[in-house]
Amino acid sequence: MDVDAYRARVEQFIGAIEREYILHLSGRKTSFEIEPIYERHADLFTREVIEELGESAPRELVRFAVEGHIGQATKAETAEIARLEATRTVEVDGAQIPFRRATIEQANELDPDRRARLEEARLRVIDADLNPLYVQEHERADALVRELGWPSTLAMCEDVGGLDLRSLAKECNTFLSATDPRYEDVLAPELRRQLAFGLERLRRSDIAAFMRAPGLDWAFPGERLLASYELTLEGLGLDGGGVRLDLEERPNKTPRAFCAAVQVPDEVHLVMALVGGRDDYEVLMHEAGHAHHYARVARELPVEARYLGDNSVTECFAFLFQHLVSAPAWLEAALGVDDTGAVVRHSRAVRLLMLRRYCAKLLYEVELHGGELNGGAPERYASLLSEAVRVEWPTTTWLSDVDAFFYAARYLRAWALETYLRRVLRDRFGARWFAEPEAGALLRSLWREGQARTADELLEELTGERLELAAVAADLVG
């Protein structure tokens, strides 16, 4: 096989798919036309190509081909799920609300009972319209993995993904045990401040409103959002890097912000739907971490280093920028917030909730993709999430809440890596590292490598330490 020719075709495929993601998820079109793109590039994902790549090509290209093989076979379900999400509405209190928009309304709704009605309406759409497609997609993907020679999706992702998922699952159990005694102490006071009730009354439908935190709007004025982002770039000695921002409101725009790297490093898009307050600041900074990473990758690197690799690395940079929104020095410099305690306490509570949620997600996915559940997946999902977050979790999202190919593991490893990297920056450049061009130079040097190294290798070079989720537990609960 001509691996260089294969790399060129991979880049063409990724660019086409990413552009289609932008058009659909930004709300510019309701259709999600990935099927023709897969058809034009079907030769990239054949079993014969996977076998040839497995003989001598870099593992990331093998992983790309395997995941593409599964994506090619399930493209119809993926496209239809996206179309339904963009066109379905939910009826709440006599009003018709676009399915995707309902999530944003839920985050901004002050009445907890109406938040519950919004969530129930969304769950009905997922159950009736989306779950049959998710089940088809999941079963087809599972069968394909076995046809390719792996006993399970878990085994496949450990093999071609370079992840020790069973060891990470053990770390997740340890994290949950270590943080369990302090969870209510950290979370309950912030729930009362933002929602006027504690953990005993918390429902899943309240979580988005808690994270939105309208009680902190005084610290996060909408008119300062872009200015604070630009101030951060300026302090680090960075320009806009050609990153293209899309913050416009559209009815069918996905509520989940994203960064689309159409051509690394030359065309990178940051797309988000504004919710308001603290949420907007954290989301913008998170996606900015991705975008400025991709926009500064060395152009001469091979496609696997520029687009593929261990996504824990780019997620680390995203979490690094996101964490600034709860850093006292940044709040004072960017937003003029003198009393930062309320913001810091709320952010700590949100991070702890999210880490526990993702630990439970990973434990569930290891069982789901390891073939251990024998028909009991929805109940096991709800049980693990309910126990970790301490709210009654619905079974309905047992597949819609699963990101493909163990992306939850990339998030967890990124949270850990960010904890170490943030400490390095603080130790070398001080609490105001975000205003030091030398810190920007260090970040540029790391960004330039793309994802040529794994999160473990990057940390080894920076500090000589081993990447462990325990670092996040210590950061959150001491």
Side-chain angles (χ1 to χ4, degrees), residues 41-165:
H41 297 85
D43 58 306
L44 294 176
F45 311 119
T46 65
R47 292 192 63 170
E48 293 75 19
V49 164
I50 292 170
E51 291 169 3
E52 285 188 59
L53 289 170
E55 294 175 3
S56 60
R59 183 175 61 195
E60 291 303 337
L61 290 181
V62 180
R63 175 184 157 202
F64 169 83
V66 170
E67 292 180 0
H69 182 77
I70 294 168
Q72 158 82 350
T74 58
K75 61 185 182 298
E77 290 89 349
T78 302
E80 181 62 7
I81 287 168
R83 187 191 69 80
L84 290 171
E85 286 185 350
T87 57
R88 285 293 186 265
T89 60
V90 299
E91 183 175 348
V92 180
D93 301 336
Q96 295 290 330
I97 304 166
F99 175 80
R100 287 175 173 167
R101 181 73 192 175
T103 302
I104 296 172
E105 291 219 5
Q106 189 174 328
N108 281 296
E109 177 56 56
L110 298 179
D111 178 1
D113 290 331
R114 188 167 188 273
R115 290 197 293 263
R117 292 195 295 276
L118 282 161
E119 172 144 308
E120 287 163 8
R122 291 186 70 257
L123 291 176
R124 284 194 294 272
V125 171
I126 293 171
D127 191 40
D129 296 340
L130 304 184
N131 272 350
L133 292 163
Y134 278 119
V135 170
Q136 290 176 30
E137 186 178 52
H138 171 70
E139 290 179 349
R140 180 64 181 132
D142 193 53
L144 282 168
V145 166
R146 292 194 300 273
E147 287 174 17
L148 289 171
W150 285 283
S152 67
T153 301
L154 173 65
M156 183 270 285
C157 288
E158 287 197 316
D159 187 12
V160 301
L163 295 171
D164 188 344
L165 293 164

Side-chain angles (χ1 to χ4, degrees), residues 426-449:
R426 191 174 56 244
D427 289 348
R428 293 188 190 181
F429 307 108
R432 289 175 54 87
W433 62 263
F434 55 86
E436 296 294 333
E438 292 84 358
L442 173 59
L443 289 175
R444 283 196 303 273
S445 71
L446 299 176
W447 291 341
R448 181 175 173 78
E449 298 179 4

